[in-house]
């Protein structure tokens, strides 16, 4: 087989990106290693410790506990699992805003917890009154999103922490996408800002690592220990990960990307992505589209279904919010030139759509 993967030229919908060249190279070197077996693969195990330490630094947590997961889904499932295992009730529930990622539905299904989905406010952030009204003595976990999938919004994490603490529940922050831009945006989102217990933060999204490299962080070892099972025939005695054999490529590429980019490279990337998002939002507004303001590098705007389809026909990889808005994620591979070319196509298609049908008279 000699086939090339598709290019990122017209990809505006993905939350993954072209890996940094050093991350790509590291991934290739570590393809055959398995951090799931530290006794046999100590080199990649040491790299995972490094990855964890840097993720902790990014997320305001000294001595972090956690591991490099397959992605945000696994990190979210594991966070729900920790909370469920710690809960003293037999009927635990999880309270989360409707903006939370669908991986929590998977977690609830697998783990048998009740999911209480509360509305967001007019700014697409968790409605605190609704969260307060939903927690009770059976609440094991409150979820806050720091960089939501649809609109890139950051929930009021410190306030959610207080609600969780008052309810005797844990707080999980899903920064799977936002984690590598939030250190520069001025938001309050991490362990240093609030009573956060666990966090999802994915190097394979804004972190420019190769897929698969997600991150699960926990405030302390005893939280991760909730997940540990004995591993009698391995050299290591227990395992807290969900999967057994894991990607050493993901771990090595995460370390390579973070070594190279944290913090200056990521700061520069945030600035570029955010400027692109604001530029696109302004251009769309000038054309009279309703635009949802990009507080992080993600733009949503109302365009017609037929224009959306026509853009896809032109090869643009774009996606829609649940309210049917166009959604453009300004990932590291998304350049100003790409966005300008997208707008040219949009203008041409809209002109075509509005040209009056020639009449005979
Ligand atoms: N949490 C948040 C906030 C997310 O946005 C996502 C994924 C997850 C968790 C789950 O992460 P994993 O997919 O790593 O398990 N958000 C995008 C989505 O599901 C991911 C994505 C990636 C979408 C690449 C498209 C794409 O081409 O929509």
């Amino acid at each position: 087989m000699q086939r090339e993967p598709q290019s990122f030229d017209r990809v505006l919908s993905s939350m993954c990106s072209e890996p940094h060249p050093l991350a790509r190279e590291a991934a290739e070197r570590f393809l055959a290693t398995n951090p799931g077996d530290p006794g046999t693969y100590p080199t990649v195990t040491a790299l995972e410790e490094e990855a964890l330490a840097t993720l902790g630094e990014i997320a305001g947590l000294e001595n972090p506990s956690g591991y490099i997961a397959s992605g945000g889904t696994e990190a979210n499932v594991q966070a729900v699992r920790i909370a469920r295992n710690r809960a003293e009730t037999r009927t635990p529930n999880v309270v989360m805003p409707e903006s939370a990622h669908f991986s929590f539905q998977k977690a609830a299904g697998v783990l048998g917890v009740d999911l209480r989905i509360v509305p967001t406010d007019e700014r697409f952030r968790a409605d605190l009154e609704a969260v307060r009204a939903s927690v009770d003595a059976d609440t094991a976990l409150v979820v806050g999103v720091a960089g939501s999938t649809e609109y890139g919004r950051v929930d009021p994490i410190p306030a959610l922490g207080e609600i969780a603490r008052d309810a005797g529940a844990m707080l999980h922050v899903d920064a799977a996408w936002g984690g590598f831009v939030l250190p520069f945006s001025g938001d309050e989102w991490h362990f240093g800002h609030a009573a956060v217990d666990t966090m999802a933060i994915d190097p394979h999204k804004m972190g420019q690592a190769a897929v698969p490299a997600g991150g699960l962080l926990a405030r302390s070892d005893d939280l991760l220990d909730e997940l540990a099972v004995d591993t009698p025939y391995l050299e290591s005695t227990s395992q807290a990960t969900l999967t057994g054999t894991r990607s050493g490529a993901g771990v090595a590429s995460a370390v390579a990307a973070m070594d190279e980019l944290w913090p200056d490279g990521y700061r520069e990337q945030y600035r570029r992505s955010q400027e692109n998002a604001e530029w696109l939002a302004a251009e769309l507004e000038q054309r009279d589209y309703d635009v949802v303001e990009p507080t992080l590098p993600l733009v949503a705007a109302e365009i017609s279904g037929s224009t959306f389809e026509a853009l896809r026909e032109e090869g643009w990889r774009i996606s829609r919010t649940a309210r049917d808005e166009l959604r453009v994620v300004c990932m590291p591979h998304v350049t100003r030139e790409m966005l300008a070319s997208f707008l040219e196509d949009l203008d041409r298609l809209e002109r075509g759509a509005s040209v009056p049908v020639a009449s005979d008279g």
Side-chain angles (χ1 to χ4, degrees):
M1 188 207 88
Q2 183 59 318
R3 262 177 248 160
E4 294 299 320
Q6 67 183 82
S7 86
F8 276 89
D9 276 15
R10 295 201 158 203
V11 176
L12 299 177
S13 56
S14 184
M15 292 189 132
C16 294
S17 198
E18 196 96 66
H20 187 280
L22 294 175
R24 175 186 295 276
E25 197 231 340
E28 284 171 6
R29 261 184 296 133
F30 280 82
L31 269 180
T33 63
N34 170 22
D37 178 5
T40 307
Y41 300 99
T43 310
V44 78
T45 300
L47 283 178
E48 187 166 20
E49 291 298 317
E50 274 185 46
L52 197 61
T54 313
L55 283 177
E57 206 179 307
I58 295 171
L61 181 61
E62 257 180 66
N63 304 318
S65 192
Y67 68 92
I68 299 300
S70 55
T73 299
E74 181 181 340
N76 287 340
V77 169
Q78 292 284 72
V80 174
R81 193 168 152 224
I82 292 173
R84 186 205 60 176
N85 290 358
R86 272 176 108 78
E88 278 159 16
T89 165
R90 296 178 59 160
T91 51
N93 67 66
V94 172
V95 176
M96 68 172 205
E98 60 185 340
S99 52
H101 187 254
F102 54 73
S103 45
F104 291 100
Q105 316 262 1
K106 300 182 186 178
V110 174
L111 295 166
V113 301
D114 181 22
L115 211 52
R116 296 188 176 171
I117 301 177
V118 304
T120 49
D121 61 18
E122 68 287 349
R123 290 184 298 165
F124 307 105
R125 295 166 14 129
D127 181 327
L128 290 174
E129 280 315 307
V131 175
R132 254 181 226 114
S134 293
V135 297
D136 60 19
D138 283 346
T139 302
L141 184 70
V142 174
V143 174
V145 189
S148 61
T149 311
E150 286 198 307
Y151 299 108
R153 289 304 191 257
V154 182
D155 288 332
I157 302 297
L160 288 175
E162 282 165 28
I163 297 174
R165 193 164 19 192
D166 291 349
M170 291 177 47
L171 175 69
H172 173 66
V173 171
D174 183 354
W177 177 71
F180 285 82
V181 290
L182 289 165
F184 316 108
S185 66
D187 288 282
E188 289 198 302
W189 64 285
H190 71 31
F191 290 89
H193 302 134
V196 180
D197 293 295
T198 53
M199 179 180 286
I201 173 168
D202 287 357
H204 76 199
K205 293 193 171 72
M206 275 291 184
Q208 298 180 47
V211 177
L216 172 69
L217 293 179
R219 186 181 275 285
S220 53
D221 289 344
D222 61 310
L223 292 178
L224 205 71
D225 286 346
E226 295 288 348
L227 304 174
V229 297
D230 293 340
T231 51
Y233 50 83
L234 293 180
E235 288 304 303
S236 48
T237 52
S238 75
Q239 197 173 82
T241 55
L242 187 57
T243 57
T245 302
R246 294 188 290 134
S247 170
V251 169
S253 75
V255 171
M258 292 190 292
D259 269 1
E260 180 66 14
L261 298 169
W262 170 254
D264 296 346
Y266 289 129
R267 184 186 296 109
E268 177 55 22
Q269 184 53 57
Y270 161 72
R271 200 189 49 74
R272 213 175 322 148
S273 292
Q274 186 63 28
E275 277 175 14
N276 280 340
E278 284 168 17
W279 179 81
L280 176 65
E283 289 286 326
L284 289 169
E285 255 164 16
Q286 238 173 41
R287 291 162 171 79
D288 274 345
Y289 295 103
D290 276 336
V291 178
V292 180
E293 180 207 350
T295 53
L296 289 181
L298 199 166
V299 182
E302 267 178 48
I303 66 167
S304 72
S306 55
T307 303
F308 183 92
E309 289 308 328
L311 284 163
R312 281 198 61 93
E313 288 290 308
E314 296 284 334
W316 292 104
R317 300 294 113 203
I318 46 181
S319 62
R320 269 183 275 221
T321 65
R323 301 195 313 175
D324 257 0
E325 290 134 322
L326 160 76
R327 188 176 151 270
V328 171
V329 194
C330 293
M331 295 300 290
H333 65 268
V334 175
T335 60
R336 187 66 63 91
E337 294 69 38
M338 231 171 120
L339 294 173
S341 153
F342 175 74
L343 286 172
E344 266 174 40
D345 281 3
L346 176 67
D347 289 342
R348 183 170 43 76
L349 291 164
E350 294 281 40
R351 268 199 309 276
S354 64
V355 168
V357 180
S359 73
D360 294 337

